[in-house]
Amino acid sequence: MSVRQTEGRGLFESILDTVGDTPTVRINRIAPKDVTIYVKFEAFNPAGSVKDRLALNIIEGAERRGELKPGQTVVEATSGNTGIGLAMVCAAKGYPLVVTMADSFSIERRRLMRFLGAKVVLTPRTAKGFGMYQKAKELAEANGWFLASQFETADNAEIHENTTAREIISDFNGKKLDYFVTGYGTGGTVSGVGRVLRKERPETKIILTEPANAALVASGYINTRNDSHQPTEGHPEFQPHPIQGWTPDFIPWVLQEAMDGNYYDELLPVAGADGIEWSRRLAAEEGIFTGISGGSTFAVSMKVAESAPDGSVILCMLPDTGERYLSTPLFEGIAEDMTDEEVALSQSTPSHQL
Ligand code: PMP
């Protein structure tokens, strides 16, 4: 392998034209010998996550339908990546953005959104995902703002059907694809990709995963919703979990399509600690720097690999970049000062600091 000779990706008229077409990358050092694992690495999107796709389609869908007027404020409840994606899209198109977010999510997410020009309204962590959602709804109603509604809008699964899934179909055209592994936040990825794989690659097993301590789908209980498909209660099985971006404290409407349509063959729980461990290994042993949800999806992919027949091919979604997690448990124990080993290295040649 060497640095590629390349002609470049070409000239783009807007940052928005660079959303999607993310690379599918083979795992070379930590995958089991007889199974091939690829990751679809969504950190390559311009604002660093899979949610850039959704953000672009929500705004452009609303523009097409005349629901969003020039200069109108956009508002959304988001744990971060959707907010960062929306902030990028709104900045490029000139819409003001207000994001509501529980104060438990990482500091860098708030600061990133503010850096991208958005306003961030914090809600108490005790009110969970439901609380930040309520706040966004109230602000939209009180001010006549456009509520992005990532958990209900048809624009969500649609963009994954039209982009993420098409990229997968194209990358694996004429090749084996035995398993597709993903978690869910809104469920847009699994519902959109599921629509296409079920039709065009029916042999591909779809594996859905959720946090072991917030196994909402596995519980069999579906929270109540109103006429707009918004949740009207928190899910009783929800517990706070470290996999940011996954599993809010309700089962979203967008995910319901995958549940009703049998878009997954297996539902596997994963412990947050395993996700953190595999995220670290992906970075340190493969050079692939993804967040906790990526590590968790990869943990499940490695589980699937254990019992998969030799020669199987697995595709694992990696939703975002690990840079978004510097102040979270992902970086716990990563030293700021020199370790003993580093001090010894420093002292091993003449120009060392005392
Ligand atoms: N991982 C992270 C870090 C996310 O932000 C999200 C989206 N909230 C997901 C995974 C899940 O994607 P989806 O909403 O398409 O289910």
Side-chain angles (χ1 to χ4, degrees):
M1 227 174 297
S2 59
V3 174
R4 276 184 309 152
Q5 292 294 310
T6 172
E7 294 180 349
R9 277 180 74 188
L11 298 178
F12 292 90
E13 296 306 313
S14 157
I15 191 68
L16 303 178
D17 296 342
T18 70
V19 172
D21 276 334
T22 53
T24 300
V25 183
R26 185 174 177 156
I27 299 301
N28 293 299
R29 298 182 62 215
I30 60 180
K33 195 162 62 26
D34 300 314
V35 173
T36 304
I37 304 183
Y38 286 98
V39 293
K40 188 156 175 62
F41 198 13
E42 293 294 310
F44 275 77
N45 281 297
S49 93
V50 67
K51 303 314 282 266
D52 293 357
R53 299 173 187 265
L54 161 76
L56 183 59
N57 205 41
I58 284 181
I59 297 303
E60 295 200 333
E63 285 175 340
R64 280 194 298 271
R65 293 186 293 271
E67 293 165 10
L68 183 58
K69 303 280 181 301
Q72 190 179 351
T73 297
V74 176
V75 59
E76 182 63 334
T78 156
S79 63
N81 281 330
T82 299
I84 293 165
L86 278 172
M88 179 267 294
V89 174
C90 287
K93 285 179 174 278
Y95 296 105
L97 173 69
V98 175
V99 161
T100 64
M101 182 167 127
D103 59 11
S104 48
F105 294 108
S106 76
I107 302 286
E108 51 268 41
R109 290 186 184 217
R110 301 178 201 171
R111 298 187 73 199
L112 272 168
M113 283 184 255
R114 290 180 174 134
F115 197 82
L116 282 159
K119 292 196 166 47
V120 180
V121 174
L122 296 175
T123 57
R125 65 192 67 194
T126 47
K128 301 183 202 168
F130 194 60
M132 60 198 233
Y133 190 69
Q134 205 56 33
K135 177 59 76 186
K137 234 171 83 175
E138 287 170 12
L139 285 170
E141 279 162 17
N143 299 293
W145 292 346
F146 173 75
L147 183 64
S149 303
Q150 60 166 332
F151 294 105
E152 294 84 31
T153 179
D155 296 332
N156 187 344
E158 181 193 81
I159 194 66
H160 292 288
E161 179 183 8
N162 291 340
T163 66
T164 321
R166 296 315 329 162
E167 294 160 28
I168 294 169
I169 293 292
S170 159
D171 288 346
F172 288 92
N173 184 25
K175 301 189 177 77
K176 254 167 90 69
L177 178 58
D178 300 296
Y179 301 92
F180 172 71
V181 186
T182 183
Y184 67 86
T186 61
T189 305
V190 67
S191 290
V193 173
R195 281 180 198 169
V196 175
L197 289 184
R198 281 302 196 233
K199 240 185 265 150
E200 300 185 32
R201 298 297 297 248
E203 80 284 8
T204 302
K205 291 203 163 47
I206 300 178
I207 314 294
L208 187 66
T209 172
E210 61 184 354
N213 69 333
L216 272 50
V217 174
S219 78
Y221 179 77
I222 294 166
N223 43 265
T224 52
R225 302 190 185 99
N226 63 20
D227 289 348
S228 311
H229 309 302
Q230 296 159 332
T232 46
E233 61 172 350
H235 196 286
E237 290 299 312
F238 181 82
Q239 299 263 348
H241 60 78
I243 313 173
Q244 289 193 23
W246 269 20
T247 311
D249 64 326
F250 56 90
I251 295 180
W253 176 245
V254 172
L255 177 67
Q256 191 68 45
E257 174 185 340
M259 294 168 69
D260 295 343
N262 289 317
Y263 288 180
Y264 49 89
D265 300 276
E266 248 187 294
L267 175 69
L268 297 176
V270 60
D274 290 346
I276 288 171
E277 163 80 19
W278 281 108
S279 167
R280 290 178 176 180
R281 290 198 59 185
L282 276 169
E285 296 175 55
E286 293 281 344
I288 294 175
F289 189 22
T290 188
I292 302 175
S293 71
S296 300
T297 316
F298 192 75
V300 171
S301 303
M302 291 295 282
K303 267 263 154 54
V304 168
E306 278 172 23
S307 55
D310 284 0
S312 292
V313 177
I314 300 173
L315 175 62
C316 167
M317 284 302 287
L318 299 186
D320 70 353
T321 168
E323 245 169 63
R324 213 142 277 181
Y325 298 85
L326 289 167
S327 70
T328 76
L330 187 58
F331 275 77
E332 234 167 64
I334 306 296
E336 283 181 20
D337 297 325
M338 282 199 281
T339 60
D340 290 348
E341 200 184 345
E342 289 162 348
V343 169
L345 274 175
S346 169
Q347 292 178 344
S348 67
T349 65
S351 68
H352 67 82
Q353 278 187 345
L354 291 174

